[in-house]
Every structure is written in structure tokens, then in C-alpha cells.
Amino acid sequence: MTRIFSGIKPTGHLTLGNYLGALRRWVGVDQHQSDALFSIVDLHALTVEHDPARVHRLSRQSATLMLAAGLDPQRCTVFVQSHVDEHARLSYLLECTATDGELRRMIQYKEKGSRARASGQSVRLSLLTYPVLMAADILAYRTDEVPVGDDQTQHVELTRDLAVRFNQRYGHTFTVPRATHPPVAARVMNLQDPTSKMGKSDESGPGTVHLLDEADVVRKKIMRAVTDSGREVEYDRLTRPGIANLLEILAACEGGNPNDLAGVYESYGALKKDTAEAVVELLRPIRERHAELAADPGHIDRVLKKGAERAREMARPTVDAAYRAIGLLPA
């Protein structure tokens, strides 16, 4: 069975984009057709200034929402990255395999580093090296496929390069993974800036719909979404990004096609109203199930503990083999 690995970074409240772009496929497809591991990658949240209590809180909330969305611990492995030491163990070996140049070419390092310097903040070394930790997350499990958004494709390519390089230098140790991309609504855009992705970091902005937003809040955000000049409802991502975003969201919620849906509507208002109701109904069962799970934190703890034990059992043989291959004495 194909093995997949994917993770969610607890740097903000999960959004509609997280659900449509990743979680829904994990729930509906990946956990049934693959040997799937899904992790709250909390170590990645430490690469920038952060509030420790907030990281702790968002890690638990993310795990709860993953289960509320429908991940079944009997079918897949749900765990917290920092609970499995093999991630950090392998990361250092891969740092000894990667080069300074290829890490400095990472687009996210350039963008985040520039923003940090512009605001007068120092740039943490971990911001440069975290793609290597991401590679360790993937390679530790002999992962075959990594479902990612477009913005993470470069990191999977680095992972492939490191796996090939390590195998060539020290003997075959790692499976070389490949990136896969969800077919529809893989990149939900911000409702107020449809040229930018709907991200977790925009905590209170009206352009971001969070999974735990109340129904009235969801409706208000979508009804106030930015649209484009003109009155005709047409699907064109380049010239009408606002309308295209709404059509893609509606299509993803209802299983339709954005082009076909464009011909149904004669006004922006009608499109917004139907999109708002579709999103409200999509998120309703997730919010209700989240409330049930949050009321029993012991259940979440047990799921994460068992998930970490299972993940550790899968990762340790590969990481131990990498230690031997690179020349380290066994403990």
C-alpha cells in the first residue's frame, strides 16, 4: 500500500483553505487508500517569534479539528511531530547532506526572511534549515507520496534531492517520494485579496474563513468578499480573481465545476449568498464534532499517544539505518 505523509503547522486557526486544500482529501481519500500519517508539525512553528502557550493551544486545537473533520485513528496515524524523536535525529543527518546554497534558494526563506528583516527582527537559523526538518519528516517513514499545495512543491523537490544524494553516497536508505496535488480548490484565496492565499496567519481578517467561525460570521465574510469590475459572472482566474475564487469555493463545496457554475448566476449577490450557505453547511458538522471532542481532552491525549507510538515504530528502523549508513556507531 502506498504510504503518504502530510502535516499541519500550528501557527494559526485552521481555515476553509486548509480543509478544502488538504483535510477533506485526507479524510475522504487518503486514509482509505493509503498507509497514511498525518502530523501536527509543531517543531516547524518555532522558526519565528511565537507565544509558547499559543503553540501549545493551537497544537491541541489542530489535532481536535483533524479528528472532527473525519480522520479515523483506526485507519491512519495521527500524531504530534515533537512526540517522535526520530524527526530531530534524522534532521541533523540531512543537514550534513544538504548545502547552504540550496537552502538559501528556498522561496519561503527568502520571503519570510525579508519580512523579518524589514520589521527589524532577526532571522532564526531554523527558518533556513526547516526544509531539512521537513525532509526528515517525510523520509523517516519511507514515504511514497506527499500531498501538498503549490507553495510546498519546492520543499518536496529538496526532499527528493536529499534522498537521492544520501542513497548515492551512503547506500540505499530512503524511498524517494513524489509530491501530489489535490485537483480542486487546492489553493483557496483570501476573500479580501483574491491574489493571495487564505492563510492561517491572518487571524482576525475578514478575508479568512476559519473552521470554527460561527455561521453568521462565515456569511458576513463571504457576503463582503471582494469582487471584480463588471457585472457578468465569468470564471477567469487572471482577469476576475474575486469571482473565480467564489466559484471555486462553491464548486469545491458542492462537487461542481467553476465554469459550469458561472453560467448559472446573473448577479454577484446571488453567487455570494449560495457560496456562503454552502460553506456554512460544509463546516457545520465539523464545528459540532469539534465541540464534542474538545469536551473530552483525555480522548485526544490517548489518540496522540497511540499515534506517536505507531509513528515511532515505523520511523526508528529507517533512522537507525541512516545512522549506520553515514558511519555512526550504534548505541
Side-chain angles (χ1 to χ4, degrees), residues 12-305:
H13 300 285
L14 297 187
T15 71
L16 177 66
N18 296 127
Y19 181 70
L20 292 179
L23 264 173
R24 187 165 67 169
R25 180 175 176 84
W26 296 358
V27 170
V29 178
D30 293 336
Q31 69 172 341
H32 300 284
Q33 298 182 0
S34 310
D35 181 9
L37 297 102
F38 302 114
S39 180
I40 298 90
V41 286
D42 53 345
L43 295 175
H44 291 297
L46 311 183
T47 60
V48 295
E49 289 293 330
H50 64 277
D51 175 3
R54 188 169 183 270
V55 171
H56 182 277
R57 183 173 65 254
L58 289 175
S59 296
R60 175 172 288 279
Q61 183 186 91
S62 296
T64 307
L65 277 169
M66 289 163 69
L67 298 177
L71 288 183
D72 182 353
Q74 301 302 315
R75 293 181 176 274
C76 62
T77 304
V78 180
F79 69 103
V80 177
Q81 176 194 32
S82 63
H83 293 178
V84 181
D85 293 344
E86 278 63 30
H87 292 253
R89 288 181 62 209
L90 181 56
S91 182
Y92 182 72
L93 298 195
L94 296 179
E95 285 185 14
C96 297
T97 308
T99 67
D100 175 78
E102 59 192 348
L103 293 183
R104 292 187 185 279
R105 287 194 295 270
M106 294 289 107
I107 293 172
Q108 290 202 18
Y109 170 72
K110 292 180 179 179
E111 292 177 348
K112 293 181 179 180
S114 295
R115 287 199 296 268
R117 283 186 285 267
S119 64
Q121 296 179 351
S122 59
V123 180
R124 298 188 181 193
L125 179 62
S126 56
L127 186 63
L128 176 67
T129 61
Y130 94 89
V132 178
L133 176 58
M134 181 177 173
D137 299 338
I138 296 165
L139 297 180
Y141 299 100
R142 298 186 182 273
T143 302
D144 299 299
E145 296 182 356
V146 188
V148 292
D150 295 339
D151 58 334
Q152 292 292 331
T153 300
Q154 187 184 34
H155 291 159
V156 180
E157 289 304 313
L158 174 67
T159 301
R160 291 172 54 85
D161 291 343
L162 295 181
V164 170
R165 190 178 305 155
F166 192 99
N167 289 346
Q168 290 176 341
R169 288 179 178 176
Y170 308 116
H172 185 80
T173 306
F174 301 119
T175 298
V176 180
R178 58 186 177 274
T180 59
H181 305 280
V184 179
R187 201 171 193 192
V188 178
M189 311 307 280
N190 188 290
L191 296 172
Q192 292 298 311
D193 178 10
T195 62
S196 300
K197 188 176 72 167
M198 184 182 289
K200 297 192 298 294
S201 59
D202 188 10
E203 286 299 297
S204 58
T208 300
V209 174
H210 296 102
L211 299 188
L212 294 179
D213 280 346
E214 297 288 342
D216 287 345
V217 173
V218 173
R219 292 188 183 98
K220 183 180 295 184
K221 288 180 177 180
I222 294 178
M223 293 305 295
R224 294 180 177 177
V226 167
T227 51
D228 312 294
S229 60
R231 295 185 177 181
E232 293 184 2
V233 179
E234 296 179 348
Y235 179 63
D236 189 324
R237 169 55 71 184
L238 292 178
T239 63
R240 296 196 171 184
I243 292 300
N245 191 36
L246 292 171
L247 288 167
E248 289 183 355
I249 291 171
L250 181 58
C253 290
E254 298 186 344
N257 180 282
N259 271 310
D260 295 339
L261 287 171
V264 173
Y265 293 95
E266 297 182 355
S267 72
Y268 292 173
L271 172 60
K272 287 183 175 181
K273 182 178 180 181
D274 283 359
T275 302
E277 292 306 317
V279 173
V280 166
E281 290 307 310
L282 181 75
L283 300 186
R284 188 189 308 279
I286 297 175
R287 289 177 51 244
E288 292 174 349
R289 180 59 176 153
H290 175 271
E292 295 173 0
L293 291 169
D296 184 7
H299 173 70
I300 303 298
D301 291 340
R302 290 189 293 274
V303 168
L304 295 178
K305 181 179 179 180

